[in-house]
Amino acid sequence: MSLFIAEGLFKHFGGLIAVDRVSLTVEPGEIHALIGPNGAGKTTLVNVISGLLPLDAGRIILDGVDLTALPPHQRVRHGLSRSFQITRVFNNDSVLDNLLLAVQAQTGSSFRIFGRRADKSGLRERAIELAQQVGLGEALDRIARALPHGAQRQLDVALALAAQPKLLLLDEPLAGMGPEDVAEMVALIQRLCAETAILLIEHDMDAVFQLADRISVLDYGRVLTSGDVAYIRDHPEVQAVYLGTEAAR
Amino acid sequence: MLIRIFPWTLLLVLALFPLVAPLFDFTYYVGFVRHLLIVMIAATSLNFILGYGGMAALGHAGFIGVGAYTVVALVDAGFTSAWGAWATALIVSAAFAAAIGAVSLRTQGVYFLMLTLAFSQMLYYLAVSLRTYGGDDGYGLHTPLTLGLGLGDAQGRILYWLVLAIAALLFAFLNRVAVSRFGYALRGVRENETRMAALGYPVYWIKFTAFTVAGAVAGLAGALLACHNRFVSPSLMHWTESATLLVIVVIGGLGRRWGAPLGAAVWLTLAEVLKLYTDYWRWPLGLLLILIVFFAPKGMAALLDNRGKSP
C-alpha cells in the first residue's frame, strides 16, 4: 500500500471548483511533484491535505491512518507536515527561537505553565541540528525578518521538518529565488528525501525534472495526467496546458 | 542589578506605605493605591491575552463584574468569609470566561472584539435587570467580609496588604507563565496562527486556556474591588471600563512584563491629579494616548526596557 493516499479530494468556493476529485499517491522515499499553471488549484490542494481548509469530499490516508476528519495539528502528529508558499516564519524571533518553537510542539505538552522552557536543554540541541540540516547553522541568532529571502525559505522548510514527517508537503519552495538559492534548495530537497517522502508543488520545471520521481499535472483543479519525468516532458497535452503557456510567456 | 532588586524594593515600599502614610496625612491615598493594585491585577490579566496572546478582547470588564456580583450574591445569601467569596469568584468567572471564550475564540480580529463586547454587554444588562441585587442602583455591602485567622474584617490596611500580596503573586505567576512552554506557544499563536497549526499546536485550546485564566484573574480583581468599594453596580462592567483597561495595557506596553502595572499606575495617577485641576480631565489623557501611540507604539515599558525586547 502507498504511504500516502488522497482519494477523490473535492473543494469548491461557491461556484468555483478549486479541487475537482483529485486522487494521488506518494510512495515511501518518493518525490512526487505536482505541477500546473497558476490557478490550477495547487495551493488549495495543499491546504485541504494539510487541513487548513476543510474538504468537501474525499479521503486522506497517511501510513494507513485516515486523517480526513482530523484538525491540522493532529495531522502533524501523524506525520504530515508542510511548508508555505508565502514564507510563514516568526519574523520577530531569531532563527533559533523559531526552531525551538517548532521542536517544542513535538516534545511533550505545551500546556505546562510551570518551569522555564529554557531549563530544558534537549530542545536546543534538536533545534541546532535542524538549522545545520538546512544550512542555517551559522545564522542561529539572526532575526528571521532580517534574513535574505533564500534563507527565510530554508527556515520555512526547517520548521516543517521539526515534526519529523513521514510526508512533507513543500508548497513552491523555490518561489521568488535567485539561481544560487535554487541550487541550494534543490540540493536540500534531494538530501531530505532520504528521511521523508515529499509531495512537491513547484513552478520551476528544471528543478521539478531534476528532483521528481513522478509528476502529476494539475489543470482546472483536475489531475490531467501522471507519470515519470520522460513521460511528462513528452506528453503533448501537458505541453499545451503547461509548458506551452510557459513558453508563450 | 538594579533590575533585580527593583521589584523587591517596590514591593517593600508598597508594603510600608499604609504604615507611613498617616505620618504625612496621606491616609486617603492608601485607598487610592489599593484601588490601583486591583486595577493592575485586571490589567495584567488582560495583557496576558492581549499582549502575549494577541487576542483583542473588548469585554474584560464583564469578568470583573462577574467576580464582583459573585461576592454580592454570596453576601446576599448570608455568606461572610472573604476567602470563600474570593475563591468562588475566581471559579465562577473562570466558568463564564470558558463559556464566552468557547464561542468567541472561533472568530478572529474585529469579529472576536465584537463578540467579546457583545457578551460583556449581555452581562451588563443582566446585572441591570437583577432587582434582587439593586439593579441599576447597585448593591451596598454594608458589613465587610470576614477573614478569620485573627485578621479581622476584610477592610482597611489588612485588605490593602492582602490585595498587595495577591497582586504580587499573580504578577509573578503570569510572568512565570510567559517563559514557560505554554508562554512560548501563546506568543507563537499571536505571531502566526496558521504556522502554529501547521507545526502541530492545538491553537484553539491554547487560546482557550489563556482566555479562561485571564477571565478568572479578572473575576478575582472584581471580587477584590467589591470589598474595596463595599459597593457593586452594573457600571463596573460598562463597556467603557473594558476600553479603559485596553488603553491602560496599550500605553503601558503590550506583551511586556511591566506594561500593565505601569499603564495602570500612570493612567490612574494622572486621572487623580488632573481631576484636582479641571473637570475636563479626560482630554489630557486622550492626548497622552495619542502621543504614546505615535511616539512610543510599544508602550512606556518598552521605553524603560533598554534591552528593547519582551521577555
Side-chain angles (χ1 to χ4, degrees):
Chain A
M1 199 167 90
S2 302
L3 173 72
F4 176 74
I5 304 165
E7 223 175 60
L9 303 186
F10 187 82
K11 176 74 191 173
H12 72 98
F13 300 103
L16 176 78
I17 295 172
V19 176
D20 191 2
R21 286 160 291 168
V22 168
S23 295
L24 49 85
T25 59
V26 183
E27 307 302 324
E30 183 188 40
I31 298 184
H32 186 156
L34 202 63
I35 63 172
N38 280 324
K42 301 189 297 293
T43 294
T44 307
L45 184 59
V46 175
N47 283 339
V48 292
I49 292 176
S50 59
L52 294 182
L53 282 175
L55 264 177
D56 295 326
R59 285 209 307 161
I60 294 163
I61 295 159
L62 179 66
D63 209 6
V65 182
D66 190 332
L67 304 182
T68 317
L70 298 181
H73 71 272
Q74 285 180 20
R75 296 186 191 198
V76 180
R77 296 269 154 87
H78 284 95
L80 180 75
S81 188
R82 68 166 293 180
S83 75
F84 287 87
Q85 179 185 358
I86 297 156
T87 311
R88 283 182 191 268
V89 297
F90 301 96
N91 279 319
N92 300 320
D93 293 329
S94 69
V95 168
L96 181 63
D97 283 340
N98 265 272
L99 292 170
L100 282 172
L101 197 54
V103 175
Q104 180 192 321
Q106 308 308 323
T107 52
S109 168
S110 278
F111 287 95
R112 263 181 242 157
I113 54 172
F114 293 106
R116 292 164 176 277
R117 188 185 73 169
D119 297 343
K120 289 269 180 199
S121 59
L123 289 182
R124 206 183 144 82
E125 283 151 23
R126 173 79 181 119
I128 292 171
E129 194 182 304
L130 278 167
Q132 285 163 347
Q133 196 178 0
V134 300
L136 289 172
E138 306 297 315
L140 289 175
D141 295 325
R142 298 278 299 276
I143 300 298
R145 186 175 356 102
L147 289 174
H149 180 70
Q152 288 193 8
R153 305 293 297 154
Q154 288 167 337
L155 179 57
D156 203 294
V157 172
L159 291 178
L161 273 181
Q164 295 179 292
K166 294 172 188 163
L167 176 72
L168 180 61
L169 301 174
L170 293 175
D171 189 3
E172 302 203 21
L174 305 176
M177 278 188 172
E180 270 176 46
D181 290 335
V182 166
E184 218 175 303
M185 184 60 84
V186 167
L188 170 62
I189 295 170
Q190 267 163 346
R191 289 201 303 275
L192 290 182
C193 71
E195 290 179 28
T196 168
I198 294 173
L199 184 61
L200 172 70
I201 286 83
E202 188 45 66
H203 258 310
D204 185 325
M205 297 306 297
D206 289 336
V208 167
F209 288 148
Q210 205 179 329
L211 286 167
D213 298 303
R214 206 148 48 106
I215 301 175
S216 293
V217 183
L218 206 64
D219 194 29
Y220 292 107
R222 262 182 239 183
V223 177
L224 202 64
T225 184
S226 231
D228 63 13
V229 172
Y231 174 77
I232 295 294
R233 209 198 297 259
D234 299 332
H235 197 288
E237 223 178 327
V238 173
Q239 285 178 338
V241 163
Y242 191 77
L243 303 176
T245 54
E246 184 109 309
R249 235 187 272 152
Chain B
M1 187 60 197
L2 196 66
I3 295 290
R4 281 200 160 272
I5 60 169
F6 173 71
W8 297 107
T9 317
L10 182 66
L11 188 61
L12 186 69
V13 169
L14 285 170
L16 293 177
F17 182 63
L19 300 176
V20 180
L23 307 177
F24 300 96
D25 220 11
F26 274 1
T27 321
Y28 164 78
Y29 289 101
V30 175
F32 171 74
V33 175
R34 196 168 71 186
H35 178 234
L36 176 57
L37 287 167
I38 295 171
V39 175
M40 278 179 187
I41 295 173
T44 303
S45 74
L46 180 61
N47 192 25
F48 186 61
I49 52 170
L50 178 65
Y52 292 95
M55 292 168 253
L58 185 53
H60 217 55
F63 303 125
I64 295 179
V66 169
Y69 271 94
T70 304
V71 171
V72 166
L74 288 172
V75 167
D76 198 63
F79 193 79
T80 58
S81 162
W83 304 109
W86 295 342
T88 312
L90 196 71
I91 292 162
V92 172
S93 45
F96 270 85
I100 290 173
V103 178
S104 311
L105 289 168
R106 300 190 180 277
T107 63
Q108 284 169 341
V110 172
Y111 303 101
F112 175 74
L113 187 139
M114 295 311 289
L115 271 182
T116 49
L117 173 63
F119 278 116
S120 77
Q121 286 296 88
M122 283 183 214
L123 291 172
Y124 173 82
Y125 286 109
L126 177 68
V128 169
S129 71
L130 285 176
R131 283 285 166 76
T132 349
Y133 302 138
D136 232 349
D137 299 328
Y139 187 97
L141 302 163
H142 299 298
T143 49
L145 292 166
T146 55
L147 289 163
L149 312 167
L151 293 172
D153 293 339
Q155 60 176 338
R157 287 192 292 197
I158 291 289
L159 181 61
Y160 174 97
W161 282 315
L162 279 173
V163 167
L164 177 61
I166 291 170
L169 284 173
L170 281 172
F171 181 68
F173 167 71
L174 289 178
N175 284 321
R176 185 73 189 207
V177 172
V179 294
S180 70
R181 293 170 66 95
F182 182 79
Y184 281 98
L186 186 60
R187 261 169 295 168
V189 169
R190 174 189 71 189
E191 294 296 317
N192 199 331
E193 244 177 70
T194 311
R195 175 53 107 173
M196 286 300 277
L199 285 178
Y201 284 99
V203 169
Y204 176 80
W205 293 111
I206 289 172
K207 290 164 78 172
F208 176 82
T209 306
F211 191 83
T212 305
V213 169
V217 172
L220 177 62
L224 294 172
L225 203 57
C227 296
H228 167 80
N229 288 330
R230 301 264 289 279
F231 175 74
V232 173
S233 81
S235 67
L236 214 59
M237 42 180 139
H238 194 260
W239 73 271
T240 52
E241 296 298 314
S242 297
T244 303
L245 276 179
L246 216 60
V247 170
I248 283 174
V249 174
V250 169
I251 64 166
L254 280 171
R256 296 199 178 256
R257 175 182 295 240
W258 290 95
L262 195 61
V266 168
W267 190 263
L268 292 184
T269 308
L270 274 179
E272 191 73 16
V273 171
L274 290 170
K275 274 179 201 166
L276 294 177
Y277 296 101
T278 169
D279 285 340
Y280 307 103
W281 55 274
R282 282 194 175 86
W283 77 260
L285 285 174
L287 198 62
L288 171 75
L289 176 62
I290 292 171
L291 289 175
I292 295 275
V293 167
F294 274 101
F295 295 106
K298 289 176 175 170
M300 289 182 294
L303 292 177
L304 301 178
D305 186 0
N306 52 12
R307 289 167 303 168
K309 56 174 189 175
S310 51

